[in-house]
Amino acid sequence: MRKLIDKLYKDGDLRESELLDLITNITPDDREYLFECARNKAREHYGRNVYLRGLIEISSYCKNDCYYCGLRASNKCAKRYRLDKSQILECCKTGYELGLRTFVLQGGEDMHYTDEILLDIISTIRKSYPDCAITLSLGEKDAESYQKYFDAGANRYLLRHEAYSSDLYSKLHPKNLNIETRLDCLKNLKQIGFQTGCGFMVGAPYQTYEHIVKDLRFIKDFQPEMVGIGPFLPHSDTPFGEEQAGSVSLTLTLLAVVRLLVPTVLLPATTALSTASEDGLVLGVRAGANVVMPNLSPLDVRKKYMLYDGKKSSGTESAQAIDTLKEKLETIGYEVNFSRGDNIKFAN
Ligand code: SAH
Ligand code: SF4
């Protein structure tokens, strides 16, 4: 097993059969070794820095019906809200004063936000905060819209591919959503010039190790600038409400593998990981993650952006507690970095 890990460290790649062997049979000792390799690789490119992104959850309305997600349109129990331009700018102001230099606008696919409305919001943030990066995570749009957002000043886009296997994708989504469209969107984003993020949930219903290997292969081939990986967590008002949560240790293994497959990737220790495990944040960084996304949404809406049960939005997940986050990371020898934190392929 160590030979495989050494090979992955050295070559940044493994064959499918080797990846399968690694993620299926890794022992706790070997996993510690894998994490050490992943930390070393992150350090080669980004030092001991952990980059911050202020997460603004702009809307809990969604037209889609992903089976796993608490915001799905069919969830009649979901509490819905949307932020207007002035509320979003207020979040940016709070974040800027806290020292944050990346704002992530994430939300359900809410038809209220026409391109006109979004362009107004993006260009106003761009004008008000010329030194900040703007990341969008607003789902699938046509290439023309993505291009307009980019031209208005957005720099990065997060769109998890969710499942590279079309079989699995169709078990997690209704028929109108498919992996081909998802991948087209990702290709368009990259071509336009966005720093682009893909990713998937670990332990989603029906997901096998073989599916995960396909996801890893896709990530290696696509060479994203960012990758979002967190455990699947059930939401009681969804079709998957009774399903088991994804494993924390497998999530950590996969974070480390992704760090070694794409050494320069910006890799968050996700909110889902922190929700699944009290120490998720520290464990994620120890496995090669180098980004955290503290929540900047207005306090009164945070409980309404419930992708899954128990989603954390306080403590180290809250932008208001950056000092706690800083202390936590310092105890394991890491520095919170307040710069924009671009992927080094894009840094000038
Ligand atoms: N609507 C946008 C962005 C918001 S959802 C989109 O879908 O791209 C952001 C991410 O949350 C999704 O990509 C999904 O991977 C994750 N997510 C949704 N439901 C989840 C659950 N039950 N457990 C863990 N992650 C979940
Ligand atoms: Fe909507 Fe995104 Fe949730 Fe799917 S995962 S239902 S697109 S918010």
Side-chain angles (χ1 to χ4, degrees), residues 62 64-66 68-69 71-72 108-109:
C62 190
N64 287 339
D65 229 355
C66 308
Y68 43 85
C69 177
L71 303 189
R72 66 198 301 270
E109 294 198 13

Side-chain angles (χ1 to χ4, degrees), residues 289-347:
N290 63 346
V291 171
V292 273
M293 299 172 62
N295 197 313
L296 256 187
S297 306
L299 292 171
D300 60 314
V301 305
R302 284 193 196 172
K303 291 272 168 252
K304 298 183 186 166
Y305 196 81
M306 276 295 158
L307 302 172
Y308 41 80
D309 292 336
K311 179 169 160 283
K312 258 199 184 173
S313 56
S314 59
T316 50
E317 290 306 305
S318 169
Q320 281 72 16
I322 288 179
D323 287 345
T324 321
L325 175 70
K326 210 165 167 247
E327 279 167 33
K328 257 204 177 169
L329 289 171
E330 279 168 7
T331 58
I332 58 161
Y334 280 78
E335 282 278 327
V336 161
N337 185 305
F338 283 90
S339 75
R340 268 173 61 127
D342 286 290
N343 186 293
I344 51 170
K345 290 189 275 173
F346 283 73

Side-chain angles (χ1 to χ4, degrees), residues 9 37 39-47 263 344:
Y9 182 84
C37 290
R39 288 197 296 277
N40 288 340
K41 194 56 87 181
R43 209 171 307 152
E44 276 177 31
H45 298 285
Y46 293 102
I344 51 170

Side-chain angles (χ1 to χ4, degrees), residues 29 44 87 93 110 130 132 143 172 175 221 234 263 326 338:
D29 273 358
E44 276 177 31
Q87 289 173 299
K93 183 166 181 281
D110 180 352
C132 293
L172 304 178
K175 278 206 180 63
D221 295 341
K326 210 165 167 247
F338 283 90

Side-chain angles (χ1 to χ4, degrees), residues 185-194 196 222-225:
C185 287
L186 282 166
K187 278 181 204 135
N188 290 337
L189 288 164
K190 209 166 201 224
Q191 202 183 359
I192 289 166
F194 280 102
T196 304
F222 186 64
Q223 290 287 313
E225 282 73 39

